[in-house]
Amino acid sequence: MADPFEVRMRFTSQLQHLNASVTSAQKAAHYALKYRDMDEDLHSCILEQLERNNLNSRANIMYFVEHLCDMAAREEHLEFIRMVERDILKIVDLVAPEDGSGAANVKVVRKVLAGMGEKKYLLPQTVGELEEWIGGRDLAEERHVEEEARRTATPRTKGQGGRLDKRQIEQRIEEDRERHKRLRESIWAVEQDGDKEFDRLWEETSDVDEDDYILAREEAEERRKAARFHALAAQDAAVTV
């Protein structure tokens, strides 16, 4: 029989090292299902890591929770889903706190809640109530910053208040881009199966929102900058010759 302490430590390490790749989430979910007899203890590890880690890690864990429910459903071990449903209010509050410090994670929470609602892991009423509950949290960031500025003239140091530092912001941008890239790859990689496959993709593909437009504009601007750079380089080379 596996040592409970070692299982807990290994699972905690996997949660701490989650990233934008589906593989890391699937690996951790597979490990949890392997030791399903310790499901309550492993579920408590998820809550602990949400309490202790930075906002990037909390977002990754939020995505992982959906992967865990997917695998638990396939293997018909529904206890993980029941525990997530039981503690979903706490999970959401830890990933996107009410004080506005987790505004960057609100979109993540909404996306995962929508997915879990569609897959029947959460009741539609629960998803609706949670959506209403977190309404405006993504707009609370500006108020939070203004309040903090009034309270203190000392700049925030790394890690204070759960806020992201420059390195964490760059990491978050890279991970979000990786998720968008993998989503596009998965759409094109799926084998076509007539109208049935088209209908499935239509249902599973999320609606285009403002963030998608922002990302498209950023990518277009990067391409324009690259084109201008190469044009200037060519001009300089011509002058030199």
Side-chain angles (χ1 to χ4, degrees), residues 55-221:
L55 293 175
N56 280 352
S57 294
R58 295 180 199 178
N60 289 330
I61 292 174
M62 189 73 195
Y63 281 117
F64 160 74
V65 166
E66 186 175 1
H67 282 286
L68 177 60
C69 290
D70 288 341
M71 190 169 291
R74 286 196 298 270
E75 299 198 13
E76 298 183 352
H77 185 74
L78 304 183
E79 285 305 310
F80 279 117
I81 299 176
R82 293 191 184 103
M83 286 185 287
V84 168
E85 183 180 20
R86 180 193 69 197
D87 294 328
I88 191 63
L89 190 67
K90 182 175 183 180
I91 291 171
V92 168
D93 204 33
L94 288 170
V95 177
E98 187 177 10
D99 64 4
S101 62
N105 282 348
V106 173
K107 182 184 176 183
V108 173
V109 170
R110 289 190 173 125
K111 184 176 294 186
V112 172
L113 288 177
M116 294 180 71
E118 291 173 1
K119 298 169 186 174
K120 311 301 183 184
Y121 303 149
L122 296 173
L123 294 173
Q125 181 182 355
T126 300
V127 174
E129 290 174 351
L130 288 170
E131 283 277 3
E132 183 177 355
W133 186 54
I134 63 173
R137 290 195 181 190
D138 50 347
L139 304 176
E141 174 75 358
E142 185 176 347
R143 295 194 301 270
H144 184 74
V145 171
E146 291 175 353
E147 291 173 1
E148 288 294 311
R150 284 196 296 268
R151 279 200 291 266
T152 175
T154 304
R156 283 183 175 272
T157 57
K158 179 179 177 181
Q160 279 187 296
R163 204 170 289 278
L164 299 176
D165 60 23
K166 182 179 179 181
R167 181 187 62 79
Q168 292 169 350
I169 292 172
E170 292 173 346
Q171 178 186 350
R172 177 60 173 272
I173 292 172
E174 183 62 30
E175 289 184 346
D176 285 346
R177 285 179 176 174
E178 181 68 17
R179 288 191 181 96
H180 279 284
K181 176 183 175 183
R182 289 183 180 278
L183 176 60
R184 291 193 294 267
E185 288 176 348
S186 66
I187 292 173
W188 287 109
V190 173
E191 295 182 1
Q192 298 302 304
D193 185 23
D195 294 338
K196 181 179 179 180
E197 182 63 24
F198 175 81
D199 291 340
R200 188 186 71 79
L201 289 173
W202 181 267
E203 291 297 328
E204 292 184 358
T205 303
S206 60
D207 295 335
V208 176
D209 57 21
E210 183 62 25
D211 288 328
D212 294 315
Y213 287 117
I214 292 173
L215 179 61
R217 286 196 292 269
E218 290 176 349
E219 291 177 347
E221 180 62 26

